[in-house]
Amino acid sequence: MQISHAIKWAVCVLAALNLAVVQARDLVVRNGVVLTMNDSMPRAGAVAVRDGYILAVGSEADALGAVADDHDSIDLGGKTLLPGFVDSHGHAFGVGLQASVANLLPPPDGEGADIEALINLLRDWSQESADTVERIDWIVGFGYDNAQLAEQRHPTRDDLDRVSTDFPVLVIHQSGHLGAVNSKALASIGITADTPDPPGGVYRRREGSTEPNGVLEEYALFGVLFPFAAGFDDEFNDQLVIKGTRTLASFGYTTAQEGRATATGLQAMRRVAERGELAIDLVSYPDVLAVKDIEVSREYRNNYRVAGVKLTIDGSPQGKTAWLSHPYHVPPAGQTTDYDGYAAIDEETTLAAIDGAFAKGWQILVHSNGDAATDRLLAAIEQSQSRYPDVDNRPVLIHGQVLRRDQVQRLDELGIFPSLFPMHTFYWGDWHRDSVLGPERADNISPTGWLMERNMKFASHHDAPVALPDSMRVLSATVTRRSRSGDILGPTHRVPVETALKAMTIWPAWQHFEEDSKGSLEVGKLADFVVLSADPTGVPGDQLADLHVVQTFKRGELIYQRPE
């Protein structure tokens, strides 16, 4: 049993001083499986809570002995209690957008199975959400995936012209790194046959012509997205933050991340936080190349803080824009067999951004998917560490899907925390094997086995809205690495359930410098909980994706209840 005498003493002092503190009743959570993520007591029978903090962890008798006689009780009914999930990398603001526009995700998360389905989904949404269309003056959908479409291609301007010729139409690829627009959108943005490709991006062209076909890669897409989003009013942006964080809470996340915040998004997150409308904690990382006047803090204010900055070096492997050291297995349309992707920014910009973060002592999250991009990241971190050897900023590699074994060793040596994306093995495993990387490299995407060989901490993330922020899908993919077709992609990289859970709780808490208050069920930590329908350590691996979040608690308060 663990009991915090310090918490009891503090409560007594407050009472003695007659401070106007409203005390909630003590709480005991009991009659279920308790997975603590604390190696000194991995499993327990009950947890006691006082004023939003854990008071005791142990047997039911231990918990009851720690609380006042007049207390509340939650009967788990045999279900499983864990620490609330900590979002290692995602986009809470983007999740809100995903929840607000047409859902184009392919099965099992949506109905976007072919281009005809996309067109119908966009038409239906534009009719059902006519007020939103009028408000933002666009028809928008999120989540299509050319790898899962029957046609095995991106929708073009001609396809999207069938949705509307009166409104601009924008569809965003599931990766968030590509998209497509209709002819009205191209005209409104001013993209013509004479428009050159932007640095770090591509306007795809009609075959045999310079006329844009509507498909946009990387900074060509971002050049549309940022002005498009800048047109949202404050109320709409605030609702994106609220919807995004509520969606994340429904999947058991008690700490969310906005992993590439814009200036507009930052303003919305601050407004929502100041009004006390964040049900969970939210950490944001502004785009270091796009946002000015950044103020980083280790302290939350109304459940919100800017925790560091974000840099993006390359693109998406499933979209074939990630920067590789060897060519893609099957090059994208219009490219030659030696095509190996490209960097989104040049070497000088990369070095300056990382060095600037170290100079300020800021944590920096770096999106690097391809191994060529990661080579550049490693060189930049090594340079900055040599210049600022006393800075402890826990730099983070985001994604690292095409890591080589030698790069894993360098991550370990340089103290770079890997936040990996094993969920790709389910969503795009077959595509990586057959088209993106080929069988050998595909087996080693998100190489968690190599990390475990070195006893490295790591995190498993969802990168929503790239996919739904489905914590059980994250867990399942990290443990099984089973693709949509049933293939197991890289069996040596499969992770034990207990380790996979740490990669969703205590280790990402460490990533955020919050391991002393979150990530495990220990005395003195926040009473951030998730209740699962069954014990993930007690079901076959192939059933993990079928588990669901029943309840989510923040500081001991129920913030999500799964509908019956």
Side-chain angles (χ1 to χ4, degrees), residues 498-520:
E498 294 82 358
T499 303
L501 288 171
K502 286 184 177 181
M504 300 169 66
T505 53
I506 186 62
W507 291 343
W510 185 92
Q511 170 192 332
H512 290 139
F513 292 87
E514 297 183 36
E515 70 272 20
D516 290 339
S517 61
K518 295 177 180 176
S520 63

Side-chain angles (χ1 to χ4, degrees), residues 210-282:
T210 60
E211 189 69 29
N213 72 358
V215 181
L216 314 173
E217 295 183 11
E218 299 296 335
Y219 274 85
L221 172 67
F222 304 150
V224 175
L225 280 181
F226 295 153
F228 160 70
F232 298 167
D233 60 34
D234 288 353
E235 181 182 359
F236 189 82
N237 283 320
D238 292 0
Q239 284 302 308
L240 298 185
V241 176
I242 293 168
K243 287 181 179 180
T245 49
R246 286 178 180 172
T247 298
L248 285 156
S250 74
F251 288 104
Y253 289 92
T254 52
T255 300
Q257 185 188 106
E258 173 42 63
R260 192 182 184 181
T262 64
T264 299
L266 286 170
Q267 293 167 3
M269 288 181 272
R270 290 193 188 102
R271 287 193 299 269
V272 172
E274 289 300 321
R275 295 198 300 267
E277 294 179 0
L278 286 176
I280 60 178
D281 287 340
L282 176 58

Side-chain angles (χ1 to χ4, degrees), residues 76-134:
L76 292 171
K79 294 184 283 293
T80 300
L81 184 77
L82 294 91
F85 297 129
V86 178
D87 191 351
S88 171
H89 181 66
H91 304 273
F93 192 75
V95 174
L97 180 63
Q98 181 185 57
S100 303
V101 301
N103 176 11
L104 306 182
L105 290 168
D109 299 326
E111 299 175 1
D114 54 39
I115 288 175
E116 193 66 29
L118 301 185
I119 292 168
N120 290 331
L121 290 165
L122 288 162
R123 286 173 175 167
D124 291 346
W125 177 82
S126 66
Q127 293 171 6
E128 295 164 1
S129 307
D131 291 345
T132 300
V133 173
E134 291 290 343

Side-chain angles (χ1 to χ4, degrees), residues 440-521:
E440 183 177 349
R441 283 186 294 174
D443 264 357
N444 293 318
I445 64 168
S446 297
T448 43
W450 294 343
L451 303 177
M452 290 190 293
E453 287 176 359
R454 305 185 68 86
N455 295 314
M456 294 171 65
K457 296 186 186 76
F458 65 92
S460 297
H461 62 248
H462 51 73
D463 199 26
V466 167
L468 293 177
D470 186 341
S471 52
M472 294 300 95
R473 179 65 68 186
V474 174
L475 179 63
S476 170
T478 307
V479 171
T480 70
R481 294 180 67 94
R482 193 173 293 281
S483 72
R484 291 176 188 264
S485 71
D487 188 18
I488 295 177
L489 210 65
T492 60
H493 296 299
R494 287 178 292 187
V495 172
V497 175
E498 294 82 358
T499 303
L501 288 171
K502 286 184 177 181
M504 300 169 66
T505 53
I506 186 62
W507 291 343
W510 185 92
Q511 170 192 332
H512 290 139
F513 292 87
E514 297 183 36
E515 70 272 20
D516 290 339
S517 61
K518 295 177 180 176
S520 63
L521 304 182

